[in-house]
Amino acid sequence: MAKDYYGVLGLTPGASDADIKKAYRRMARDLHPDVNPDPGAKDRFHEVQLAYEALTDPDKRRIVDLGGDPFDTSPGGGMGSPFTGAGFGGLGDIMDAFFGGGGAAARGPRSRTRAGRDALIPVELDLDETVFGTTKDITVDTAVLCTTCSGAGTAPGTHPATCTTCSGRGEVQSVQRGLLGQVVTSRTCPTCAGTGQVIPDPCPQCGGDGRVRARRTIPVKIPAGVEDGMRIRLTGHGEVGPGGGPAGDLYVEVHERPHPVFTRDGEDLHCRVTLPMTSAALGTTLTLDTLDGEADLDIKPGTQSGSVLTLRGQGAPRLRATGRGNLVVHVEVQTPTRLDPEQEKLLRELAALRGEDQPESHREAQGGLFSRVRDAFNGR
Ligand SMILES: [Zn+2]
Ligand SMILES: [Zn+2]
């Protein structure tokens, strides 16, 4: 049976928050191990603390009021199905088989109310949304508390009844004669799934589950600086548990859409600009469309292809620190193609002026690599 948390504090269901506080203070004062040397006081003090916690947390108190135990962490609670009846259900059953069900007394019926599962929803975001943050309406299709029965699962005006298969114990025993003599096997009651109770008149809205599927839209705040694959947790926005148990959490997973210009590397953004050879040689000022608006990009005379220019603080904000990353601009210099006769003539003149029209000058441009290799071969 679920613990009588009201009884522990000397209260009855429906006690006000003030009553609970008052009863707790009075009993804690009497039972505190520092003032009460009685050996049983420590255990009682612990019970009182537990009851206080169960009745002052709204989620936990709702479970108590539904006949459940908010601290019940029995594994697979209520997962019993008619199929578990075949063979042994687990170690406990094996122990029972050998020791005549001695371990069964500690179990008792389990609560029908259990915690809900977490939910995961992906959200597609553009780069400016992950960089600057935004608020997105997320549609969640999940289990919510049934408003007709408030999670109890019973039709209005009716109550759960004690399971007749197990007489409310939550488990059934079968006796067999075997080699070791009489063998008693305990297993979860298949009728009530171990809760010790059945619902004769299920709620018409939820069929007795205490929750219904519903679609709702909630605004989700996306913090600035989130990255692809990160999850934002919304506590208590997941699935409501069976029997109206506390809801799990909702995780919103960020999926960042590729941007046509910028790629993201953590807090840094990267982009590529292509320059005509002449602008790279003479220098110029480019106007760059950044996420923050237009920015002037100063190209120094003699800029090489593959150069990198860094705009500090124009990247993505740091999620767990202050400041922003950088915008890294990769410069690509374009070699002119499809020269008309006049352009070709000008380029040849330029080449002649710079002494770049002789085959030897190419060798020089290699930085003397060929001659160094030759020297190495000749042992110099
Ligand atoms: Zn219902
Ligand atoms: Zn039963």
Side-chain angles (χ1 to χ4, degrees), residues 356-374:
E356 292 168 354
D357 55 343
Q358 301 300 317
E360 293 75 36
S361 63
H362 297 151
R363 207 166 283 171
E364 216 126 277
Q366 301 276 357
L369 177 70
F370 289 145
S371 58
R372 274 207 306 278
V373 170
R374 194 187 52 221

Side-chain angles (χ1 to χ4, degrees), residues 146-151 153-154 203-208 210-212:
C146 173
T147 49
T148 305
C149 65
S150 304
T154 47
C203 165
Q205 180 87 18
C206 64
R211 52 189 185 157
V212 288

Side-chain angles (χ1 to χ4, degrees), residues 15 27 43 72 87-88 107 115 124 129 133 161 216 221 224 246 263 280 284 290 301 316-317 321 337 340-341 375:
M27 297 187 76
D43 289 344
D72 179 16
F88 289 117
R107 287 195 267 169
E124 296 256 323
E129 292 175 315
R216 64 211 156 96
K221 198 178 173 311
T263 53
T284 184
T290 72
T337 54
D340 65 24
D375 293 350

Side-chain angles (χ1 to χ4, degrees), residues 163 165-166 170 189 191-192 196:
C163 173
T165 308
C166 63
C189 172
T191 307
C192 62

Side-chain angles (χ1 to χ4, degrees), residues 73-135:
T73 52
S74 54
M79 294 302 280
S81 78
F83 304 108
T84 54
F88 289 117
L91 184 64
D93 288 348
I94 295 169
M95 300 299 280
D96 294 349
F98 282 98
F99 301 107
R107 287 195 267 169
R110 57 169 69 109
S111 167
R112 189 172 36 236
T113 304
R114 297 193 311 280
R117 285 183 304 193
D118 295 338
L120 178 68
I121 302 260
V123 59
E124 296 256 323
L125 297 171
D126 287 324
L127 183 65
D128 58 334
E129 292 175 315
T130 58
V131 166
F132 297 121
T134 182
T135 299

Side-chain angles (χ1 to χ4, degrees), residues 162-172 188-198:
T162 302
C163 173
T164 50
T165 308
C166 63
S167 311
R169 288 199 315 275
E171 55 185 23
V172 288
T188 302
C189 172
T191 307
C192 62
T195 61
Q197 290 183 331
V198 289

